[in-house]
Amino acid sequence: VAARGSGAGSLICHLLGISGVDPIAHGLLMERFCSPLRRALPDIDIDVESARRLEIYDATFARYGAADFAAPGAISRCATVAMVETYRARHAIRDAGAALGLPAAEIDLLAKSMPHVRAANIEAALASLPELKSLNTNTPLMAMTIAMASRLDGLPRHLAMHPCAIALSDATLLDRTPLQINAGGYPMLEFDKDDVEDIGLLKLDVLGVRMQSAIAHAVEEIRRTADPDFDIDAVPLDDPDTYKLIQSTQTLGLFQIESPGQRELVGKLQPRTFSDLIIDISLFRPGPVKSDMIRPFLEARGGFTAPQLIHPTLAPILAQTEGVVVFHEQVISIISVMTGISLAAADEKRRALGSKEGQQKVCDWFFPAATENGYELATITTIWDVLRAFASFGFCKAHAAAFALPTYQSAWLKTHYPAAFISGVLTHDPGMYPKRLMIDEARQMGVPLAPLDINYSRSDYRVEDAGDKAAIRIALSAVSGASEKEIATIEAGQPYIDLADFYRRSGASAPTIETLILTGAFDAVHINDSDEITHRDLLLHLADLQKTSAPSLSSAQMSLGLAPPLLEASGLPAMTTDEKMHNELSRLGMDLSEHILSPYAQFLNAIGATRSCDLLGLRSNSEVLVAGVKVALQSPPVRSGKRVLFLSLDDGYGCSDATFFPDVLQSRSGQYAQTLYATSLFLVRGTTRRTGERGISLRATGVWDLRSAYQEWNLKKGSVAI
């Protein structure tokens, strides 16, 4: 469990264990959470394990609710909160296309090609995005679908349960609010979160966070295999090795700091303390990025410029952030110090800064109050400009501190118990990257990977002893298409003698067994160096087993208890390395035996491609070729407002990040943009851009499909393409 939002500023929340952050040690203000002058009730926001979120719901309703709220005499004092889902581009296209009879394949193609924009912007997206220009939208039915979908913009689509909000009341709740049963089976108010606050109900936000589940899984594995008394909340927040890991930018899988932009920022900032993590998380927000707050902070921190502390009385407030106002708490303290009012009154002024009318009222009050308190007009004007600008990009320090705790804890676990931590990440998938990238991260950290095995694999990823190191056993849940019921029966039947025994007792379907065969789960019981049995023989044996238990056999034949057919070598060749990797990727979504780029090694060496781990040794503006498999393609907001694509690639030696600016995306009739969305293996040309000692990225100038380039190269040298 972790606190979220301003609740981390409450000493009571900390003492009760709701928040693990000490508000006194980190200068958090109770008034940001709750004060005598605040009219609205405060929110209590907590992050819980996503895998157990409904347990929290059940416990809440068991205490405050009623099993049947509609029954006569039932008393219910809590309910979930509704959320009105409105039409955006993708849903509008799907519903309009279905209503007009557009073929399902065309609906799916158009909807999936559309970015996450408002429905009113569908036609603009089709006209401006290069990767969408290849779509044929001129047919009458398609054009009619687009026109109708655009008109649906912002209209209500359906009522849904808010992902985390629960409203608490007294026994008169049913007298004042309409309720219904939602899809999850819980009572739900027909009001949204704003309405709930307007009518005076207390709102509890219980948000399921996958990283909390990943951390919990790692903790359980540590207790099971290494330290039965391990307590993650007791680890020191000043561990040097943990900060070295963060400074190295090897932060894949860590909470809040694994994105390409965050990896670049931590490389520049080089966090050394928990307070540095709080600042890092606060700076990496759309507001600070848009307002260019990061640059002056880094320049002052690096000693290139002097911190702008403005006035000696404000130095204690601004010193930690190098003179840059980052937090709500700083604004509250500045107003309080300069005008002499209480922190509670200062928070009311801060809230008023959010509107133009409120800003004017605060301005009319602030100048005389600060002047009366002895400040000069020049200082007051400078501070007022900061306060006025802050209204659009401020961030709550308590919120950042609450986020920083699981960030640090995840980094500590990755540093000291990498196998346990990565097993948690693989089991609960909390990050922005695919599991195959975390498998590659384990390889790079020297963590052994134990293969899928019918006798040792469990439903989730487990830590196993592998001599001097802890290994990660691949989980049964990795098998594509396997149901939870199948996985449970397989696990319950362990151990198994052989394929015949597994077929008879495991309850697994034939497609699941086939996947287990082709991904090596039966290797330990059937495949070895001295035996002639191959995976193809196991597939034939599976077919024979199916025949002996086929429904066409009479009951008399079945009652004879015929012995299963023998497993014999057929002389068929063993699977090639390429076949094995293909099966792993298609059936597990991970390349376990070797990296997906391994077959292209000769080609990449021949064309002089640079490995990601070697990029840091290059100067800025060096022209390079890099290759890799796509792990992320994003288009976040940037200061210029233009559309920029950020591509992250994995080549088996780490990640490289390439930025595609509009001039590149629109060149060659949008071919580069189409390539970015059409394939997963890339060859990227670009120039290096150094962003500090540990930071480097590419400004892309071209991108090609790696498979096509490889095949062309093979043809030219007279080889046969794979």
Side-chain angles (χ1 to χ4, degrees):
V1 177
R4 172 186 287 264
S6 58
S10 166
L11 181 61
I12 294 174
C13 287
H14 175 62
L15 295 175
L16 289 175
I18 298 171
S19 169
V21 179
D22 183 347
I24 296 177
H26 298 289
L28 309 182
L29 301 180
M30 177 68 175
E31 288 82 357
R32 176 62 183 82
F33 170 63
C34 186
S35 76
L37 301 180
R38 181 175 173 176
R39 294 183 179 180
L41 290 171
D43 288 345
I44 297 288
D45 305 335
I46 55 172
D47 291 343
V48 301
E49 297 177 42
S50 60
R52 303 182 63 188
R53 180 173 67 94
L54 294 183
E55 291 183 36
I56 308 297
Y57 272 45
D58 293 339
T60 304
F61 279 93
R63 176 173 295 227
Y64 299 107
D68 184 5
F69 76 93
I75 298 177
S76 181
R77 292 171 288 168
C78 67
T80 61
V81 177
M83 178 175 64
V84 180
E85 290 279 5
T86 58
Y87 275 105
R88 291 178 64 81
R90 294 189 174 187
H91 272 146
I93 288 170
R94 291 191 181 279
D95 286 3
L100 294 173
L102 191 68
E106 294 185 32
I107 294 174
D108 199 51
L109 176 63
L110 182 59
K112 286 185 176 179
S113 301
M114 189 63 52
H116 296 281
V117 295
R118 293 187 56 174
N121 297 331
I122 292 175
E123 293 184 1
L126 291 170
S128 62
L129 301 183
E131 65 271 17
L132 301 184
K133 290 183 178 179
S134 60
L135 292 176
N136 181 16
T137 58
N138 295 324
T139 62
L141 201 53
M142 182 74 81
M144 192 181 301
T145 297
I146 293 171
M148 179 179 285
S150 299
R151 294 176 60 188
L152 293 175
D153 180 63
L155 293 176
R157 185 172 187 264
H158 62 272
L159 205 62
M161 184 177 82
H162 191 279
C164 57
I166 300 176
L168 300 181
S169 175
D170 59 15
T172 65
L173 178 65
L174 293 179
D175 299 335
R176 295 180 284 112
T177 58
L179 269 71
Q180 63 175 262
I181 295 294
N182 61 32
Y186 295 103
M188 180 177 74
L189 301 176
E190 295 181 5
F191 295 148
D192 66 16
K193 62 182 183 63
D194 296 324
D195 297 333
V196 164
E197 292 180 353
D198 288 342
I199 64 174
L201 298 181
L202 180 68
K203 183 164 66 67
L204 174 70
D205 283 341
V206 180
L207 190 67
V209 176
R210 291 182 179 183
M211 180 52 71
Q212 295 294 344
S213 289
I215 291 175
H217 181 91
V219 168
E220 288 302 314
E221 287 301 283
I222 293 169
R223 290 172 178 169
R224 184 177 66 85
T225 61
D227 182 0
D229 300 320
F230 177 71
D231 181 6
I232 187 62
D233 292 320
V235 301
L237 298 180
D238 57 356
D239 178 56
D241 292 335
T242 299
Y243 289 107
K244 284 181 182 178
L245 175 75
I246 296 172
Q247 293 164 7
S248 73
T249 71
Q250 295 177 347
T251 57
L252 296 182
L254 302 188
F255 188 59
Q256 290 283 312
I257 56 173
E258 67 170 348
S259 69
Q262 263 290 18
R263 282 187 276 121
E264 180 177 330
L265 181 57
V266 296
K268 293 177 180 178
L269 197 152
Q270 294 287 287
R272 298 183 293 271
T273 64
F274 189 75
S275 294
D276 288 344
L277 283 182
I278 297 174
I279 295 170
D280 173 271
I281 289 171
S282 301
L283 286 175
F284 198 75
R285 299 283 159 179
V289 171
K290 184 178 179 181
S291 303
D292 194 24
M293 295 168 60
I294 297 177
R295 181 184 53 79
F297 172 81
L298 292 175
E299 288 179 352
R301 182 180 173 89
F304 301 107
T305 61
Q308 299 298 313
L309 301 180
I310 305 174
H311 193 273
T313 59
L314 304 180
I317 301 171
L318 298 175
Q320 185 185 44
T321 54
E322 307 293 346
V324 178
V325 178
V326 178
F327 306 118
H328 289 169
E329 286 83 347
Q330 288 175 305
V331 170
I332 296 170
S333 297
I334 288 171
I335 294 175
S336 174
V337 167
M338 291 188 66
T339 63
I341 64 174
S342 68
L343 291 172
D347 185 50
E348 294 300 309
K349 302 296 183 184
R350 178 198 64 81
R351 293 176 186 277
L353 291 173
S355 66
K356 289 185 178 180
E357 297 80 4
Q359 276 191 24
Q360 188 58 53
K361 290 181 180 179
V362 175
C363 179
D364 295 341
W365 164 83
F366 181 72
F367 274 79
T371 302
E372 187 177 344
N373 216 28
Y375 288 88
E376 297 179 356
L377 180 61
T379 301
I380 299 172
T381 303
T382 301
I383 287 295
W384 174 248
D385 290 339
V386 171
L387 298 181
R388 182 176 56 185
F390 180 87
S392 64
F393 55 74
F395 196 61
C396 174
K397 186 179 182 182
H399 195 87
F403 274 174
L405 185 60
T407 298
Y408 178 86
Q409 289 176 340
S410 61
W412 191 94
L413 289 169
K414 187 176 181 180
T415 302
H416 296 282
Y417 293 95
F421 175 72
I422 294 176
S423 71
V425 172
L426 290 170
T427 297
H428 294 284
D429 199 16
M432 61 179 292
Y433 298 117
K435 289 183 178 180
R436 60 157 307 280
L437 187 62
M438 293 310 303
I439 290 290
D440 195 53
E441 185 78 351
R443 289 194 194 100
Q444 293 180 48
M445 296 187 72
V447 177
L449 297 173
L452 195 66
D453 191 286
I454 57 167
N455 287 325
Y456 296 104
S457 291
R458 300 292 187 264
S459 59
D460 51 14
Y461 293 81
R462 297 289 187 94
V463 175
E464 290 187 3
D465 185 15
D468 58 339
K469 288 188 176 181
I472 301 173
R473 174 67 69 177
I474 303 302
L476 293 170
S477 57
V479 176
S480 177
S483 67
E484 291 184 8
K485 182 179 179 181
E486 281 182 289
I487 293 172
T489 58
I490 291 172
E491 193 172 347
Q494 292 171 337
Y496 300 98
I497 300 173
D498 53 18
L499 175 56
D501 183 37
F502 185 88
Y503 179 82
R504 181 174 60 86
R505 295 194 298 111
S506 69
S509 64
T512 296
I513 299 176
E514 182 177 320
T515 293
L516 291 170
I517 291 172
L518 292 175
T519 53
F522 288 92
D523 287 8
V525 295
H526 282 302
I527 309 291
N528 57 62
D529 296 335
S530 61
D531 202 346
E532 297 180 353
I533 299 297
T534 68
H535 297 91
R536 303 183 206 278
D537 297 328
L538 292 179
L539 291 176
L540 292 174
H541 188 45
L542 174 62
D544 291 339
L545 290 169
Q546 289 177 282
K547 290 177 183 178
T548 60
S549 60
S552 58
L553 294 177
S554 67
S555 57
Q557 290 173 309
M558 297 291 289
S559 64
L560 291 175
L562 298 175
L566 295 176
L567 172 60
E568 298 177 335
S570 64
L572 292 172
M575 279 197 306
T576 65
T577 302
D578 291 337
E579 287 177 317
K580 187 173 183 180
M581 185 170 63
H582 172 75
N583 287 327
E584 290 171 351
L585 286 169
S586 61
R587 296 172 181 271
L588 302 180
M590 296 177 284
D591 41 344
L592 298 174
S593 53
E594 62 178 358
H595 194 272
I596 190 172
L597 253 62
S598 297
Y600 303 94
Q602 185 182 2
F603 167 58
L604 296 176
N605 289 333
I607 64 175
T610 303
R611 299 185 304 180
S612 58
C613 61
D614 296 330
L615 289 173
L616 270 177
L618 301 178
R619 296 176 178 270
S620 283
N621 298 316
S622 300
E623 187 167 346
V624 294
L625 277 171
V626 297
V629 56
K630 177 170 65 179
V631 294
L633 181 64
Q634 298 175 299
S635 181
V638 294
R639 286 183 60 201
S640 65
K642 296 180 179 179
R643 183 170 182 265
V644 180
L645 292 181
F646 295 89
L647 174 68
S648 295
L649 296 176
D650 162 48
D651 63 355
Y653 298 94
C655 272
S656 57
D657 301 307
T659 306
F660 290 81
F661 289 98
D663 58 334
V664 176
L665 295 174
Q666 294 169 9
S667 63
R668 301 183 65 179
S669 301
Q671 182 178 339
Y672 289 151
Q674 293 174 25
T675 300
L676 288 170
Y677 284 94
T679 188
S680 58
L681 291 179
F682 294 102
L683 187 63
V684 177
R685 182 185 65 213
T687 56
T688 57
R689 182 176 71 92
R690 293 302 299 257
T691 55
E693 181 183 350
R694 299 296 306 173
I696 190 165
S697 62
L698 300 181
R699 181 182 178 124
T701 56
V703 61
W704 298 270
D705 179 7
L706 177 60
R707 294 186 184 91
S708 299
Y710 174 69
Q711 289 170 2
E712 184 178 345
W713 176 76
N714 254 331
L715 290 173
K716 286 183 178 179
K717 64 191 272 287
S719 300
V720 178
I722 292 178

